[in-house]
Amino acid sequence: MSWTTIGPHRLYRGDWRDVYDDVMPGVAGVISDPPYGMDWNTDSKRFTGGGRIWGDGVDSRPVVGDKEPFDPAPFLSAPAVALFGCHHFASRLPVGSIGVWIKRRDANFGTFLSDAELAWFKGGHGVYCVRELQSNTTLVWEAGGAKGHPTQKPVAVMRWLIQRAKVKEGGVVFDPFMGSGSTGVAAAQLGYRFVGCEVDDEQPYFEIACRRMAKATRLPDPHEAEPVGALPFSDPPHGGKGGEG
């Protein structure tokens, strides 16, 4: 386990379970797009036309943890929670609100994969929608022109999730499956502190997340960024090393 501190934010390279006990008590909201447990095939060449989604022309490897059923239970104690993919693990969730991200134009409904994605919110009973077109060009641009995570979400959608979940102002947003950092960028833009974990160390997702967070925090480089403010927990006693990433 290693971490990089960027302004008031902390990014961990490793498994969220290694920092859970230290981080979770100080979290105001868990906002995440976790592995759904569907063993998603991320090779975009399999689709008609053989196009590649990401900017560097390299197809992404499978999502770590996506072969096993996802258990949301460890995160439900947070004051605010929003989790994408809720229909894949609905039997493990209590009653709550549902968010619908409509990601394509009406004329394209039913033409290619899902027209929308669902998120579960802790509390309430309503169903709420946001329309934000999924543009591969935008996703590549948001990731800094490099390949992002195969399930990368637009920053605007993650901002909406944080706001709709009603995370306490100025609190800590935790994403235990941060990928290339869209939740972190959204949190920084909204004035929250962010803590994220990324377990896949064979792909550049962690480095991409660090660069994106430095830009969102208006700092020149993750390795030069000095801590600003304090997170509501100390460094985890798990043998981790700071300043890497």
Side-chain angles (χ1 to χ4, degrees), residues 8-9 26 170-174 187 191-195 228-232:
H9 315 295
V172 175
V173 170
F174 179 39
Y192 291 94
R193 291 170 291 170
F194 175 71
V195 175
V228 177
L231 290 164

Side-chain angles (χ1 to χ4, degrees), residues 114-150:
S114 299
D115 300 325
E117 297 195 28
L118 300 181
W120 175 86
F121 294 102
K122 181 177 180 177
H125 306 275
V127 178
Y128 307 96
C129 297
V130 64
R131 167 159 258 151
E132 179 71 26
L133 298 181
Q134 185 177 42
S135 164
N136 293 329
T137 300
T138 298
L139 293 179
V140 170
W141 177 81
E142 287 187 348
K147 179 178 70 174
H149 195 274

Side-chain angles (χ1 to χ4, degrees), residues 161-241:
L161 230 61
I162 293 170
Q163 293 171 316
R164 174 53 63 181
K166 299 180 181 178
V167 180
K168 182 180 178 181
E169 185 176 349
V172 175
V173 170
F174 179 39
D175 187 347
F177 310 95
M178 74 172 178
S180 52
S182 293
T183 306
V185 173
Q189 290 178 348
L190 292 170
Y192 291 94
R193 291 170 291 170
F194 175 71
V195 175
C197 298
E198 175 51 41
V199 69
D200 193 337
D201 60 3
E202 296 185 17
Q203 294 290 316
Y205 309 143
F206 183 84
E207 287 79 7
I208 292 172
C210 286
R211 291 197 299 269
R212 296 177 72 190
M213 288 302 296
K215 183 178 180 181
T217 314
R218 299 183 180 180
L219 292 169
D221 184 272
H223 298 92
E224 299 174 3
E226 294 295 328
V228 177
L231 290 164
F233 52 85
S234 58
D235 294 339
H238 300 293
K241 292 174 64 180

Side-chain angles (χ1 to χ4, degrees), residues 8-244:
H9 315 295
R10 174 72 60 81
L11 278 62
Y12 290 98
R13 186 199 294 268
D15 195 306
W16 62 269
R17 286 168 285 203
D18 291 337
V19 298
Y20 178 88
D21 290 339
D22 304 290
V23 170
M24 196 65 180
V27 164
V30 173
I31 309 294
S32 191
D33 180 28
Y36 301 161
M38 61 183 294
D39 197 14
W40 173 245
N41 183 349
T42 60
D43 183 359
S44 58
K45 292 184 296 183
R46 65 195 172 94
F47 299 123
T48 302
R52 291 179 173 87
I53 292 176
W54 303 107
D56 62 3
V58 178
D59 289 294
S60 299
R61 69 191 298 252
V63 176
V64 173
D66 197 35
K67 290 184 179 181
E68 298 81 32
F70 176 68
D71 182 7
F75 311 111
L76 301 186
S77 62
V81 185
L83 299 172
F84 262 122
C86 58
H87 53 301
H88 293 280
F89 43 91
S91 63
R92 299 181 177 213
L93 291 168
V95 173
S97 302
I98 298 296
V100 182
W101 168 35
I102 303 171
K103 59 184 184 179
R104 62 178 55 188
R105 295 181 175 86
D106 293 1
N108 294 329
F109 282 175
T111 60
F112 180 71
L113 297 179
S114 299
D115 300 325
E117 297 195 28
L118 300 181
W120 175 86
F121 294 102
K122 181 177 180 177
H125 306 275
V127 178
Y128 307 96
C129 297
V130 64
R131 167 159 258 151
E132 179 71 26
L133 298 181
Q134 185 177 42
S135 164
N136 293 329
T137 300
T138 298
L139 293 179
V140 170
W141 177 81
E142 287 187 348
K147 179 178 70 174
H149 195 274
T151 62
Q152 180 181 324
K153 296 296 183 289
V155 172
V157 173
M158 302 315 292
R159 281 200 308 265
W160 177 76
L161 230 61
I162 293 170
Q163 293 171 316
R164 174 53 63 181
K166 299 180 181 178
V167 180
K168 182 180 178 181
E169 185 176 349
V172 175
V173 170
F174 179 39
D175 187 347
F177 310 95
M178 74 172 178
S180 52
S182 293
T183 306
V185 173
Q189 290 178 348
L190 292 170
Y192 291 94
R193 291 170 291 170
F194 175 71
V195 175
C197 298
E198 175 51 41
V199 69
D200 193 337
D201 60 3
E202 296 185 17
Q203 294 290 316
Y205 309 143
F206 183 84
E207 287 79 7
I208 292 172
C210 286
R211 291 197 299 269
R212 296 177 72 190
M213 288 302 296
K215 183 178 180 181
T217 314
R218 299 183 180 180
L219 292 169
D221 184 272
H223 298 92
E224 299 174 3
E226 294 295 328
V228 177
L231 290 164
F233 52 85
S234 58
D235 294 339
H238 300 293
K241 292 174 64 180
E244 296 188 359

